[in-house]
Each structure stands twice: as structure tokens, then as C-alpha cells.
Amino acid sequence: MLLGVIADDFTGASDIANTIAKGIAPEGGLRTAQFLGVPGDPAPAGIEAGVISLKTRSIAPAEAVRQSLLALEWLLKQGCQQIVFKYCSTFDSTREGNIGPVAEALAERLGVKGVVVCPAFPGAGRTIYMGHLFVQDQLLSESGMQNHPLTPMSDPDIRRWLGYQTNGAVGAIKHSVVGQGERAIRAALDAATDGLVVVDAISDEDLIAIGTAAAGDRLLTGGSGIAIGLPRNFIRRGLASGAAAQAVGLAGPEAILAGSCSGATRGQIDSHKAEHPTLEIDVDRVMAGETTAETIVAFMLRNRGRAPLAYSSSTPDGVRQSQAQYGREAVADKLDRLFADTAKRLVAEGVTRLVVAGGETSGAVVSALDLGALSIGQEIDPGVPVLVSQGDRPVALALKSGNFGAPDFFTKALQRMTAHGQ
């Protein structure tokens, strides 16, 4: 294995796995597998890039560090020459962490400094300029992310936000340097005295230049965009031959579960409602034990073949009211358990195509299913590929971060997940 990735959630893991598997034309990408948690066994033969999916974004910082270091040790044992710590392109974190503590711990273990911090993903509208993170034409703190129920992002200055989370100083490489290309970026990284360095990027070309400049670095951190140019580095050195993402998928019964409160997901739900059966999951009924996994599974089975959707995706005001009444952790835990139990029962009932929206929801679902290594298929929308598990009873998955995907994402995902990936 050449390239190893530690991702702090499951949707983000499939996002960067998709980026690495695609690579850049004409070279192509690397043979990539996604692992659900730290594997207990060595990687399958022939895998050039391994992405370990953790669920560490909103847990205690010390535990996030512990799990990430375990993932690092496994990847190093597989022979990885370069490690990427992947987090969300909206830098989802609190003032306490977990991005800063994990990045510092990985850097310390690898004995490196001048580590790139770049959550930019221009293809999805995330850019960094003068150290500030934008979503489309809005500052992060005005994009809706300030209302995130678990990791509200109230400050777009990534250097300052990261400074709250870390022990050392945080450096910066501005776009005036990045725009000069890889040699200027390399010189700036070599001159860095800080452990972590926030690097501007407003285009894919910037990210490719950053990736090329960092070809020999042991550690990079960022969103999935930071990996755009990394496969080419290994291919040009003759360590990999290049490969295109395969068309993998499955036929069979389908279900859609949405637990994201993002504006994009709510719009996708509204679009899907117009032509498909939907079930709204009311938080009050869930907390009272009136809506259960059996309720949702029965709805899905009654509507098999019609792309049924069950969702718990309230407005920011609705989320705040529920959290005030029941407690933030209690609501999140109850919904995670509900979606996890529902997914297990659906698969047991023969569902083979499962679309899941929301990072926390996706993490709960795939942890419950315990599917092992996942093959990376074709891209559905930017950042979201088809995933297929191995074994006697394979399952096709689409794990969507809340803010990702076009309005018709749900129906498009189910179509791409069919037997030939069409």
C-alpha cells in the first residue's frame, strides 16, 4: 500500500476514496479500498490506497487521537509512504477539537512539521483565501454551518480556529504564493517553523500544485480535494500503474435514510417527496419510543420498488428546540441508534441498495452493518461514489455528507447502484 488515509467520518472517507480512485486524466487513480474502522487483518493484495473510516469527528478529543493513532499504525504496517488526515471541507469541529489535536498527534508520531492544512474542495464550492474558508460566495460562518447541531462553525478564519485547538503556533501560506506553483509552495513549506500550516486554495489547479509540492511529505491534512494530485505522484515515480474507477453495483430492493439537517439534504428530501413515498421521523415520537426501527422497516417494505425515503431532517430552529428539550447528546444518540437498527433490519430483509444522508447517520449505519472492506465504484455526484461490500451477501451503499449532492441525488444514486453501475 502506498497511500493511507485516516478519515474522521464515513461520508468523508468515501469522498476521498472516490478522489483517489479517479485521480487525474490521463494517468488515472490508485486501486483503492475503504475500511470501516481499523482492520484486524492485513489489507487485501493489490490495494494501493487504503482509507480508514473512523467516527471521531464529535467524540472526546483524547479518544479521537487514540483511534487515529491506531489507524496510523495499521497503515504504516501496510507500507504506506504518505498519510492523509481527512476531515470535512467545512472544517467541522468545535473550539476544543478534534481536527487540531488529531493533526498534532499524527505529526508528532511521524516527526514532521510544516504540515499542510487545506480543507478546500472547489468542486463543491469550498475554497480558502487569506486563511478564510468560503462556501460558494459566503464565509463559512454565514453559510448555514453556524447552525450545525454538533459542530457549529462560527468563525471562518481556519488559522484562528485551529489555534484554539492546538498547542503550537499555526502558520499560513497565502494564495499569492500558491499561485506561483509547486516550487514556491515547496519553498514555503520547507521554511515553515510551525507544526501546522493553513494553505490557501481556490481552484483544483491550486490543489494539484499543493499535492505535487508535497509529494515527498509524510503527512498532509485536508478535505478530499487535497488528494486530487497525490495518485499522479506515485504513478509518475513508477510505483503504481494508474487505474480508472470501476463500474460496480447491485440490483435489488432499495431504501433511503436521511439524518442530515443541512439545507442541501432538506432540498433533496423536498424534491424526492414529489414522486416517491416518504416517512418523516418525528423526534418527539422517537424519544417517547413510539417510532421504532420496526415502524420504519415496515414502511420501507410496503413501498419496495418505489425508492422509499425515511428522514429526520429538521430546520435549525427545530433542532434547537429538540436539543433544549431532551439534550443534544440524548437526541443524537437516540437517532443514531434508530438509523443503525433500521439499516440492520433492512439488510436482513434483503435490501441490497442503501442510500444514507448525513455524516453522523452514515457512521452509525455502517458501524452497525460491519461490512468490512468496500470497493469504490463510479461517482454519483462530486464527492460521493458507489460503494459495494464483499462477501456472500454484498450491499451497495451511497454515503452522502449533508451538504453534498444535486437536488435529484437520491434517485440518481439508486440508478447508479444497479448491477452494472449505469
Side-chain angles (χ1 to χ4, degrees):
M1 193 181 291
L2 301 169
L3 180 63
V5 180
I6 303 166
D8 68 354
D9 84 333
F10 289 82
T11 57
S14 61
D15 179 3
I16 196 168
N18 174 66
T19 299
I20 295 168
K22 284 196 309 180
I24 304 171
E27 291 94 343
L30 304 179
R31 292 190 296 274
T32 306
Q34 181 174 341
F35 302 94
L36 308 179
V38 181
D41 300 314
I47 297 300
E48 297 168 329
V51 181
I52 296 182
S53 318
L54 300 178
K55 195 171 185 290
T56 53
R57 180 167 297 173
S58 54
I59 64 176
E63 179 60 17
V65 168
R66 187 189 72 81
Q67 292 185 30
S68 300
L69 288 174
L70 287 175
L72 173 63
E73 295 305 325
W74 186 85
L75 291 168
L76 293 177
K77 287 180 181 178
Q78 311 314 304
C80 289
Q81 299 177 16
Q82 188 170 60
I83 302 296
V84 178
F85 170 39
K86 196 278 176 192
Y87 38 79
C88 188
S89 57
T90 47
F91 213 73
D92 296 11
S93 56
T94 65
R95 283 179 64 122
E96 292 72 33
N98 292 345
I99 294 172
V102 170
E104 277 195 323
L106 295 175
E108 181 178 356
R109 166 63 181 83
L110 293 171
V112 294
K113 64 179 181 179
V115 175
V116 169
V117 174
C118 187
F121 186 5
R126 279 73 157 164
T127 56
I128 304 175
Y129 184 71
M130 301 296 285
H132 286 64
L133 185 53
F134 289 80
V135 176
Q136 304 297 346
D137 60 350
Q138 295 180 310
L139 286 167
L140 177 66
S141 55
E142 300 171 7
S143 68
M145 282 303 299
Q146 70 272 27
N147 298 316
H148 193 286
L150 297 178
T151 53
M153 293 301 296
S154 57
D155 191 340
D157 187 331
I158 298 306
R159 188 178 183 185
R160 182 165 57 209
W161 195 253
L162 196 56
Y164 297 140
Q165 303 175 3
T166 56
N167 295 315
V170 180
I173 298 178
K174 297 180 180 180
H175 194 263
S176 57
V177 174
V178 173
Q180 297 177 44
E182 61 190 75
R183 291 186 179 179
I185 299 169
R186 182 68 259 165
L189 290 172
D190 288 339
T193 58
D194 301 310
L196 305 177
V197 180
V198 177
V199 184
D200 282 357
I202 62 174
S203 66
D204 284 351
E205 288 73 22
D206 289 340
L207 290 169
I208 293 169
I210 294 167
T212 303
D217 288 0
R218 298 288 309 279
L219 175 66
L220 296 90
T221 84
S224 64
I226 197 63
I228 291 176
L230 301 185
R232 188 174 68 177
N233 295 335
F234 293 104
I235 294 167
R236 288 183 170 179
R237 287 156 57 193
L239 300 176
S241 58
Q246 298 180 348
V248 297
L250 293 170
E254 75 292 345
I256 306 168
L257 302 173
S260 168
C261 297
S262 74
T265 297
R266 296 201 308 274
Q268 289 156 356
I269 291 168
D270 289 341
S271 177
H272 199 77
K273 277 182 179 181
E275 298 182 3
H276 303 280
T278 57
L279 173 67
E280 182 174 7
I281 299 171
D282 182 77
V283 172
D284 291 333
R285 293 180 62 84
V286 172
M287 299 305 290
E290 297 171 1
T291 295
T292 64
E294 290 88 344
T295 309
I296 303 171
V297 171
F299 165 79
M300 294 292 187
L301 297 181
R302 285 197 308 271
N303 291 284
R304 184 177 296 185
R306 300 175 61 199
L309 161 68
Y311 68 94
S312 172
S313 301
S314 183
T315 63
D317 285 342
V319 170
R320 282 190 288 268
Q321 289 174 8
S322 296
Q323 291 179 341
Q325 183 173 355
Y326 302 109
R328 187 182 77 171
E329 302 297 334
V331 172
D333 182 67
K334 193 79 168 180
L335 289 174
D336 280 355
R337 289 175 182 271
L338 175 66
F339 281 116
D341 194 15
T342 298
K344 288 178 66 175
R345 291 169 185 261
L346 287 170
V347 170
E349 291 286 348
V351 168
T352 56
R353 290 181 296 154
L354 190 59
V355 181
V356 188
E360 295 298 320
T361 304
S362 294
V365 165
V366 295
S367 295
L369 293 179
D370 190 23
L371 297 174
L374 301 174
S375 298
I376 312 301
Q378 292 183 320
E379 189 173 57
I380 301 165
D381 271 334
V384 192
V386 173
L387 306 171
V388 178
S389 68
Q390 310 301 309
D392 297 332
R393 299 181 64 186
V395 177
L397 296 167
L399 307 177
K400 186 192 83 72
S401 178
N403 288 305
F404 281 22
D408 64 345
F409 176 82
F410 293 140
T411 52
K412 187 190 305 181
L414 291 174
Q415 291 168 359
R416 294 281 174 89
M417 293 161 72
T418 54
H420 299 291
Q422 301 298 320

